[in-house]
Structures are given as structure tokens and as C-alpha cells.
């Protein structure tokens, strides 16, 4: 569903959203990258000033609900190094291949995340980009290009392809950061009331954004996260943990932080705990699995998701998270996303979307892949 507004209502750490259960604070984590100390800081503010949970978003960010002292929380987030630019805090939306530099891929794109983030924050005009516009950096494994970010780069064997709305444009770029910033600036010039490139009705007119760009093949969406024991190319281990319904209790986040390993929040609302020696990985697995993190790639938790629903969202007619959990054992291989109204927040690009009616659920979308 396309929604165009004159103003950008997307929440951040400073401009918060007043939800039914209190202030909602969203913290951008470019590339989903977060240190153990930062995870610990988020767990503490969620416990002290919020609902004691961290919600992982479909863009690899974190949000806190029911926040009581917004200024205090913003101060703590800034102190943790998670608010480098007050003017650009909501536009630092970068999704990147979560395992890049550790397992597979054509190139390590982690430095690009930092460069692009710095370039976005350094360009005053990009403060007006809007909180829903996002960038993608895919290292060639085709995991995030299919998420249909507004603009991105996909690393092929023969070069770096520019993508627009999840489609290969046929353009190869050399300076990745400069090109992505240039496209974003051009979008600001021509966007009208639109906040996303995907909202342009005529995707055939990509040349308006960049001369020569053609709407080529779309990348297939990926809907399941990397889960379990993942051997890294350097002999160490990454643990991939699915987080049921993307809701990470602060006490579990605190335990994860205690491992003191680099962390990645993935756009599938899951967590990677990286660079572990085997003995540490084994011990972490034994501690975290009983706390509710899911390391089994066959778990039904990987095939179900939900929006916030009641009581956190006033638009909802049902507690969709509870209903999604109750439906966990249903015998289906299709990913199902439960939502409380037709806005269908957080819907994955493929699978079934079920909307609450007040008297059960009906299919809002049941196609395999959103066209
Ligand atoms: S889909 Fe509707 S009920 Fe669910 S979070 Fe969005 S607005 Fe709220």
C-alpha cells in the first residue's frame, strides 16, 4: 500500500512516535552493525525507561517501546555512539549483507557501510531524504538486493551493479559511495510528495534518477535469516540466532552483550554473534538457546512474523503477536505475516499476509512473491 505524505512521520531517536503504549524510539544501525557495549547500553535503557524489550526491525534497526523519558534515552543512545548526527539520524538507513567479510560473498562491503554512512551524514541536503528511504549493499550473495531498497549496489564478478528498487539498472559503478549519494540527491530534487523510489508509479523512468538506468531484472527476495552454527572463512564461528517475532527481551540482549563479540542485526529481525572461538560459541549456544533464541534453521519461528498490533498500536483490532505465536504449529511451509490492519507494516516481500478482522484473519496477500 502506497502512502504519500507531506511530512515524514518516520520515528527516530529524537523525533519519536507516540504509540498507544507510549513513545516509540527507533535507533538506526547502518549495516545492522552494533558492538557488544552498544547492545548492553540499549538493553539498559530499554529496562530503565521502556518496555524492557528491543524490537528488531525489517531494516536491521532497533526500536524501543513505551519510553518514558525520551531526552534521557536519547542522551544514553548518543553516549553509546549510536547517534552520530542529530540532523541525519533518521536517514542513516543502510542494509548490507550481514555475513560479509566473514563467510562467502564476492567482496567485503563493511567499509562501504562506514563510508556511505559518513557521506550521508556529511551532506546537509540528505537530512531531508526521509526516514523510509534506504540504501542496500549486497556483497554478491544476493541476500539484501531482493529486499528492494531504494538504491543500492550489488557486487557481481565483473563489477558493481547499481540497483534501483531492487532491480539491476544495467549500470556498473566505480565509486560506490559517491554514486549512491548522487542518486539520493537527485531523488530529493524530483520526488514531489514521494518518500520512496518504489512509490514512483512509473519505474520505467529510472533515467530521471540516473541517465542510462533501465529497469532490469529484479532480485529475488530472501525471507529467512542465516541461523545456527556458521563457520567463518577464518576458522572462527558466527552464531545466527532467530529472534521470535523480532522481540528481544532486554535481559537476553544483556546476556548477548556479555559475550563481548561483534553483533549484526539482520533485516530478517535476527541476530548474528560473530568472530567466536569454537569453545565460546559452544558455551554461548548452551546459554542462549534456553533463553529463547532460536538456532535451529527448521524452527517454525523462521516462518512467522507479525506487526506490533494491540496493545502497542491503536490501529490494530487484535493482539497479532499472540495470535502468530498461537498459530506456530500450523502445518505450512509458507511464511505468514500477521497484521492488525491493512497498513500491513513490516510485510515481507513474499509469503502470506494475514490481516485481523476482529473475528479472525483473512488473507490480505497470499502470492508467493510480491510483484
Ligand atoms: S499494520 Fe496496522 S496494526 Fe500493525 S503496526 Fe501497522 S498500523 Fe499498527
Amino acid at each position: 500500500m502506497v502512502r504519500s505524505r507531506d511530512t515524514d512521520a518516520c520515528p527516530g531517536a529524537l523525533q519519536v512516535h507516540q504509540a498507544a503504549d507510549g513513545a516509540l524510539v527507533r535507533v538506526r544501525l547502518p549495516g545492522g552493525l552494533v558492538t557488544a557495549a552498544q547492545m548492553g547500553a540499549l538493553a539498559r535503557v530499554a529496562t530503565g525507561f521502556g518496555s524492557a524489550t528491543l524490537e528488531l526491525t525489517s531494516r536491521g534497526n532497533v526500536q524501543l517501546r513505551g519510553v518514558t523519558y525520551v531526552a534521557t534515552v536519547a542522551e544514553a543512545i548518543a553516549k553509546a555512539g549510536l547517534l552520530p548526527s542529530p540532523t541525519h539520524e533518521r536517514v542513516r538507513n543502510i542494509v548490507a549483507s550481514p555475513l560479509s567479510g566473514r563467510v562467502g560473498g564476492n567482496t567485503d562491503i563493511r567499509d562501504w557501510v562506514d563510508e556511505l554512512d559518513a557521506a550521508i551524514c556529511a551532506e546537509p541536503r540528505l537530512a531531508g531524504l526521509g526516514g523510509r528511504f534506504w540504501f542496500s549493499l549486497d556483497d554478491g550473495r544476493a541476500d539484501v538486493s531482493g529486499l528492494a531498497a531504494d538504491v543500492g549496489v550489488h557486487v557481481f564478478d565483473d563489477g558493481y551493479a547499481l540497483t534501483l528498487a531492487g532491480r539491476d539498472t544495467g549500470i556498473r559503478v566505480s565509486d560506490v559511495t559517491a554514486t549512491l549519494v548522487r542518486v539520493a540527491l537527485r531523488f530529493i530534487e524530483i520526488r514531489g510528495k514521494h518518500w520512496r523510489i518504489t512509490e514512483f508509479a512509473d519505474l520505467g523512468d529510472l533515467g530521471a534518477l540516473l541517465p542510462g538506468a533501465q529497469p532490469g531484472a529484479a532480485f529475488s527476495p530472501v525471507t529467512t535469516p542465516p541461523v545456527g552454527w556458521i563457520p567463518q572463512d577464518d576458522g572462527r564461528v558466527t552464531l545466527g540466532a532467530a529472534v521470535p517475532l523480532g522481540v528481544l527481551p532486554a535481559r537476553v540482549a544483556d546476556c548477548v552483550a556479555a559475550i563481548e563479540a561483534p553483533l549484526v542485526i539482520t533485516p530478517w529481525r535476527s541476530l548474528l554473534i560473530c568472530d567466536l572461538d569454537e569453545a565460546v560459541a559452544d558455551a554461548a549456544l548452551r546459554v542462549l538457546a534456553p533463553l529463547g533464541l532460536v538456532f535451529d534453521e527448521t524452527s517454525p519461528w523462521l516462518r512467522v512474523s507479525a506487526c506490533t498490533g494491540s496493545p502497542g498500536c491503536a490501529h490494530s483490532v487484535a493482539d497479532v503477536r499472540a495470535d502468530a505465536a498461537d498459530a506456530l504449529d500450523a502445518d505450512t511451509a509458507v511464511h505468514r505475516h500477521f497484521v492488525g490492519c491493512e497498513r500491513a507494516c513490516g510485510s515481507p516481500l513474499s509469503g502470506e499476509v494475514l490481516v485481523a478482522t476482529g473475528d479472525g484473519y483473512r488473507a490480505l496477500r497470499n502470492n508467493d512473491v510480491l510483484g
Side-chain angles (χ1 to χ4, degrees):
M1 179 184 295
V2 173
R3 284 174 279 154
S4 293
R5 301 188 182 99
D6 291 333
T7 57
D8 175 27
C10 201
L14 300 174
Q15 177 183 306
V16 304
H17 169 65
Q18 291 300 331
D21 57 351
L24 184 149
V25 167
R26 188 172 296 161
V27 184
R28 265 62 178 191
L29 304 173
L33 307 176
V34 57
T35 66
Q38 289 168 334
M39 180 63 83
L42 289 169
R44 282 193 294 280
V45 293
T47 302
F49 305 103
S51 64
T53 58
L54 277 59
E55 292 185 347
L56 313 187
T57 79
S58 57
R59 293 180 171 201
N61 294 320
V62 164
Q63 60 189 31
L64 310 176
R65 306 195 70 86
V67 172
T68 47
Y69 294 97
V70 171
T72 304
V73 167
E75 198 177 319
I77 290 169
K79 198 172 170 189
L82 292 169
L83 192 52
S85 171
T87 54
H88 290 64
E89 60 128 346
R90 293 181 304 139
V91 302
R92 301 169 62 231
N93 295 305
I94 304 170
V95 67
S97 297
L99 284 167
S100 193
R102 293 188 166 97
V103 188
N106 288 333
T107 194
D108 183 350
I109 46 86
R110 288 176 293 180
D111 284 349
W112 291 355
V113 174
D114 293 338
E115 287 172 19
L116 180 57
D117 184 26
I120 291 169
C121 293
E123 172 50 73
R125 289 172 290 175
L126 289 183
L129 193 54
R132 295 171 59 213
F133 188 102
W134 58 328
F135 301 83
S136 65
L137 298 168
D138 193 310
D139 69 2
R141 75 185 72 218
D143 54 353
V144 299
S145 286
L147 297 174
D150 292 281
V151 59
V153 160
H154 188 102
V155 180
F156 285 112
D157 287 339
D158 64 344
Y160 311 145
L162 181 77
T163 64
L164 290 173
R167 290 176 180 274
D168 186 353
T169 60
I171 290 179
R172 296 292 187 266
V173 301
S174 52
D175 190 331
V176 169
T177 295
T179 304
L180 296 180
V181 166
R182 192 161 81 244
V183 172
L185 287 171
R186 177 64 181 147
F187 173 72
I188 290 175
E189 289 172 4
I190 66 172
R191 73 174 182 83
K193 288 190 175 183
H194 296 293
W195 295 99
R196 299 282 317 277
I197 285 178
T198 47
E199 290 172 2
F200 277 122
D202 184 7
L203 271 176
D205 193 21
L206 298 181
L209 284 158
L210 200 68
Q214 301 289 330
F219 291 90
S220 297
V222 171
T223 56
T224 53
V227 161
W229 183 281
I230 304 168
Q232 295 183 186
D233 294 342
D234 64 1
R236 292 183 288 178
V237 173
T238 286
L239 290 179
V243 178
L245 303 178
V247 181
L248 181 64
R251 65 186 173 82
V252 180
D254 215 26
C255 292
V256 170
I259 301 169
E260 298 188 339
L263 304 167
V264 184
I265 308 294
T266 81
W268 305 282
R269 298 186 172 105
S270 72
L271 185 65
L272 300 181
I273 309 165
C274 307
D275 300 345
L276 304 173
D277 294 333
E278 287 201 3
V280 174
D282 189 55
L285 199 61
R286 291 173 193 276
V287 169
L288 296 175
L291 293 177
L293 295 186
V294 176
F295 297 95
D296 175 3
E297 62 183 357
T298 66
S299 168
W301 281 118
L302 272 64
R303 298 192 302 276
V304 67
S305 55
C307 75
T308 299
S310 301
C313 179
H315 297 286
S316 182
V317 297
D319 184 347
V320 294
R321 285 179 174 165
D323 292 342
D326 284 347
L328 196 62
D329 292 332
D331 186 18
T332 175
V334 177
H335 187 100
R336 289 171 303 151
H337 184 68
F338 290 75
V339 295
C341 78
E342 294 202 3
R343 293 188 185 192
C345 297
S347 295
L349 286 171
S350 68
E352 191 175 24
V353 178
L354 297 164
V355 61
T357 61
D359 186 28
Y361 287 82
R362 67 178 171 81
L364 188 63
R365 189 191 84 210
N366 58 13
N367 53 320
D368 282 344
V369 178
L370 186 64

